Amino acid sequence: MTVMRATLRSLAVHLRIELGRRFTGSALGLVWVVLAPLLQLAMFALVFVYIFKARDAGVPGVSYLAFLALGMWPWFALAESIGRGGGALVDDAALIAKVRIAPWQLIAARVLVAFGLHFVGFLLVAAVLVAQGTQLHLSAVAGVLAGWALLLVLGGSLATMAALTQLFVRDLQQLLPQVLTAVLF
């Protein structure tokens, strides 16, 4: 039990460090947790609804913007967790060499922070869409949460594989964002 408590305490420290890395030096700090998803939603609305005039989501009662936004946020979480987690071991090589630390915690901290921030963004976007009149069914909440949990496991697994691969193939750090963008499209 003591080992588990120490591991959880160490992971919590890495989570705080990763959150600090994300927002230290930023003028708005944690406001970006709210602002970034809303700006992304506004961009989706501009491009897909107003410029491309996409109207039919194929789901009765759900606008194309709601359909797109609620489908894209899990992808954003997965892609960012793989990208950020994949660079954890290379980025923190000096820390690993000097401090006795479990390398998996560095990867897990990046993956958990990415998923946590994007999940908050997902909830904010869902709230904005509901405020605009989109009907979201509460009966789907369990399925949505299960889907996010599965994506978290997948993101952690792929980030770990990417991090281990980057120890030997440093070019993966440059290639990974391009591959993730290609997979998106």
Side-chain angles (χ1 to χ4, degrees):
M1 191 65 168
T2 306
V3 173
M4 181 183 248
R5 195 173 306 146
T7 301
L8 289 175
R9 213 174 296 132
S10 177
L11 183 58
V13 167
H14 294 299
L15 286 169
R16 280 193 305 267
I17 290 169
E18 181 60 23
L19 272 172
R21 280 184 186 166
R22 295 286 298 264
F23 300 114
T24 299
S26 171
L28 296 177
L30 281 174
V31 173
W32 283 111
V33 173
V34 175
L35 190 58
L38 296 179
L39 289 172
Q40 191 77 35
L41 183 62
M43 185 183 71
F44 281 166
L46 175 69
V47 171
F48 292 105
V49 175
Y50 296 109
I51 295 174
F52 290 140
K53 306 285 187 209
R55 296 283 179 220
D56 184 28
V59 180
V62 177
S63 71
Y64 185 78
L65 180 62
F67 178 76
L68 184 65
L70 296 176
M72 293 294 286
W73 248 266
W75 169 257
F76 293 153
L78 180 66
E80 185 177 337
S81 69
I82 295 168
R84 291 185 65 80
L89 299 180
V90 172
D91 294 345
D92 292 329
L95 179 65
I96 294 171
K98 293 180 182 177
V99 178
R100 185 174 164 195
I101 185 172
W104 70 266
Q105 290 180 349
L106 299 171
I107 300 167
R110 289 183 179 204
V111 169
L112 288 171
V113 166
F115 264 89
L117 293 176
H118 283 291
F119 188 70
V120 168
F122 178 82
L123 294 176
L124 286 168
V125 167
V128 167
L129 292 171
V130 167
Q132 290 180 340
T134 300
Q135 292 186 355
L136 301 178
H137 301 282
L138 292 178
S139 61
V141 170
V144 168
L145 293 177
W148 275 88
L150 288 172
L151 279 177
L152 177 63
V153 171
L154 178 63
S157 301
L158 293 175
T160 300
M161 289 191 304
L164 293 172
T165 303
Q166 278 190 38
L167 291 174
F168 302 101
V169 183
R170 297 290 171 102
D171 293 334
L172 186 62
Q173 188 171 12
Q174 309 306 321
L175 185 61
L176 195 57
Q178 311 311 319
V179 169
L180 290 171
T181 301
V183 171
L184 168 68
F185 290 109

